Amino acid sequence: MVKVGVAGYGVIGQRLADGVARQKDMCLVGIADLAPTLSIRALKERGMPYALYLVEGADKAKFDQAGIPVSGTFADLIGKVDIMLDSSPGGVGAKNKELYAKAGVKAIFQGGEKNTVADVFFHGYANYEKGYGASYLKLTSCNTTGLIRSVDCLDRAYGLDRVAITIIRRVADPGDYHRGLTNALEIDRAPSHQAVDLMSIMPHIEATGILVHTPVTHGHIITVLAHAKKGRITKDQALEAFKTHDRIRVVRIEDGFRGNASFFRYARDLGNPRGDMYEIGLWEDCIVESGDNIMYAINIPQESVTIPETMDGIRAALKMQPDSKSATAETNKYLGMARWKQG
Ligand SMILES: NC(=O)c1ccc[n+]([C@@H]2O[C@H](COP(=O)([O-])OP(=O)(O)OC[C@H]3O[C@@H](n4cnc5c(N)ncnc54)[C@H](O)[C@@H]3O)[C@@H](O)[C@H]2O)c1
């Protein structure tokens, strides 16, 4: 049984902890954080299903005051695991890496860290084999994770050489008061980092794109214009490929999936904790052909989309499965992916 720890029990960290707890071939040893945040307080109210360790700088008295049991120090946690999933705030992971390196423990970092923090910039489908046995992986950001799932899906089925994307990006997570109360759109300098990141993981595809921030919190939407290496991809061919992918949920507007909020509401109706969705959504009625290009739109549930690919990262780094196909199949089985296909 592979032993895993999580550093930073925030938006991503609590979902990583849940994700690991669901993998029957992994054991979640514990989580580490700095402050008695709402997420930590909720953990205590749930009976501390995960052991808590404190990172350096944490004020233990504050945890004691709140009656939150503490199981030890960050070093104690690192000493008990095979791999750390670091989901501390962007930039902090690079500092934590020094502790992981000293203890000889592998680690997976999230999108907010610089690429230089890791040996391999990783995606469970597109470059699993590169991460095989690696000591330090960095996961793609939420948008890039979902984007690559869909681009890799078409690329494997038909071969792509070019994509152009537009990202309509949620500006904050629910409850992010520090981002302010906004009512404006803001555009980033092009090309967006997600297009550049895609090329770093899939160098055979030329990618570019534009990103627009929007004052919403429930998911990003990305439109993708993709060009095949040879010939052209029809709408039916694209749909056929997307429907076979276990991390892509194909939906229709006419069934009620009108936008990002529909996915969030549907996830809550399914009873998914926090309204999480591991899969990206893809609208069947928004796949269109334009000359030699195929165009489609996907929904990215930013808080939970990177969890499956992070589980794949554990499998790669610790050589649990030899290739993407077998690794993603294990992760998907334990996370209950593609239940929607069984009706
Ligand atoms: N929020 C998203 O939608 C999203 C999506 C994909 C990737 N990411 C990436 O995931 C990472 C974490 O983002 P988040 O949104 O979960 O942040 P967050 O602010 O919600 O959580 C960070 C947690 O780390 C804790 N922390 C602070 N200092 C620490 C330290 N020294 N060691 C350990 N923990 C510490 C904080 O108390 C907090 O609980 C970032 O790299 C981010 O870019 C975020």
Side-chain angles (χ1 to χ4, degrees):
M1 188 81 95
V2 158
K3 295 191 284 290
V4 185
V6 172
Y9 191 71
V11 171
I12 296 299
Q14 54 186 308
R15 290 168 169 87
L16 289 175
D18 290 355
V20 172
R22 289 178 69 166
Q23 307 291 308
K24 295 221 166 66
D25 50 359
M26 298 180 194
C27 159
L28 180 73
V29 177
I31 57 131
D33 209 296
L34 177 68
T37 59
L38 280 188
S39 303
I40 299 283
R41 287 169 195 268
L43 189 72
K44 184 223 157 191
E45 199 169 322
R46 285 170 56 206
M48 294 303 285
Y50 310 139
L52 170 68
Y53 296 79
L54 298 190
V55 300
E56 204 184 311
D59 184 351
K60 183 159 182 301
K62 286 194 177 151
F63 289 83
D64 292 342
Q65 263 166 26
I68 300 168
V70 172
S71 298
T73 65
F74 197 24
D76 294 336
L77 175 61
I78 296 170
K80 291 180 188 167
V81 302
D82 301 308
I83 193 162
M84 284 298 303
L85 307 182
D86 195 296
S87 46
S88 55
V92 174
K95 291 198 195 101
N96 288 344
K97 184 184 171 186
E98 292 167 20
L99 303 175
Y100 307 148
K102 214 164 117 194
V105 163
K106 296 190 174 195
I108 303 181
F109 300 91
Q110 292 294 316
E113 295 300 321
K114 293 208 171 101
N115 285 1
T116 49
V117 78
D119 310 322
V120 180
F121 195 18
F122 181 82
H123 189 282
Y125 281 84
N127 71 347
Y128 180 90
E129 289 73 10
K130 276 204 170 156
Y132 190 68
S135 294
Y136 300 109
L137 304 181
K138 184 193 132 168
L139 246 278
T140 42
S141 70
C142 49
N143 270 310
T144 315
T145 301
L147 170 67
I148 288 184
R149 265 186 214 167
S150 70
V151 171
D152 173 78
C153 171
L154 285 187
D155 186 39
R156 279 176 200 272
Y158 309 113
L160 293 182
D161 64 0
R162 207 159 56 233
V163 297
I165 61 174
T166 302
I167 301 181
I168 302 145
R169 181 183 185 274
R170 74 86 183 93
V171 75
D173 290 325
D176 271 356
Y177 280 96
H178 63 281
R179 306 241 188 228
L181 307 175
T182 51
N183 185 21
L185 300 181
E186 188 180 352
I187 193 155
D188 267 8
R189 192 184 286 268
S192 75
H193 86 74
Q194 293 83 355
V196 176
D197 289 352
L198 184 144
M199 286 191 285
S200 139
I201 287 196
M202 306 177 81
H204 57 290
I205 295 181
E206 186 189 318
T208 193
I210 292 173
L211 181 145
V212 182
H213 299 274
T214 60
V216 300
T217 59
H218 292 146
H220 320 290
I221 289 177
I222 308 182
T223 74
V224 183
L225 184 77
H227 183 262
K229 211 162 21 186
K230 285 196 198 121
R232 51 189 284 276
I233 302 169
T234 66
K235 175 175 175 163
D236 287 345
Q237 285 176 319
L239 186 58
E240 194 187 324
F242 289 139
K243 279 189 169 167
T244 62
H245 200 292
D246 286 347
R247 293 184 197 167
I248 299 178
R249 179 191 286 268
V250 176
V251 301
R252 297 185 304 180
I253 294 172
E254 68 176 80
D255 292 335
F257 285 95
R258 294 172 58 183
N260 59 336
S262 315
F263 283 98
F264 187 65
R265 178 166 168 174
Y266 195 68
R268 285 193 295 175
D269 292 347
L270 285 172
N272 294 359
R274 311 178 191 90
D276 288 353
M277 227 178 214
Y278 296 132
E279 66 271 23
I280 59 170
L282 189 145
W283 281 275
E284 179 174 339
D285 26 17
C286 291
I287 306 174
V288 282
E289 296 169 20
S290 167
D292 284 349
N293 296 302
I294 186 85
M295 191 175 185
Y296 59 90
I298 53 180
N299 181 77
I300 310 282
Q302 82 277 359
E303 297 168 300
S304 38
V305 72
T306 62
I307 308 309
E309 271 79 356
T310 307
M311 302 301 113
D312 302 337
I314 299 173
R315 297 180 181 287
L318 298 180
K319 300 185 174 180
M320 294 173 75
Q321 281 80 32
D323 53 36
S324 164
K325 198 164 178 228
S326 51
T328 53
E330 284 299 288
T331 301
N332 290 349
K333 180 176 76 187
Y334 294 130
L335 293 182
M337 302 299 295
R339 275 170 315 192
W340 61 89
K341 291 185 196 169
Q342 286 139 34

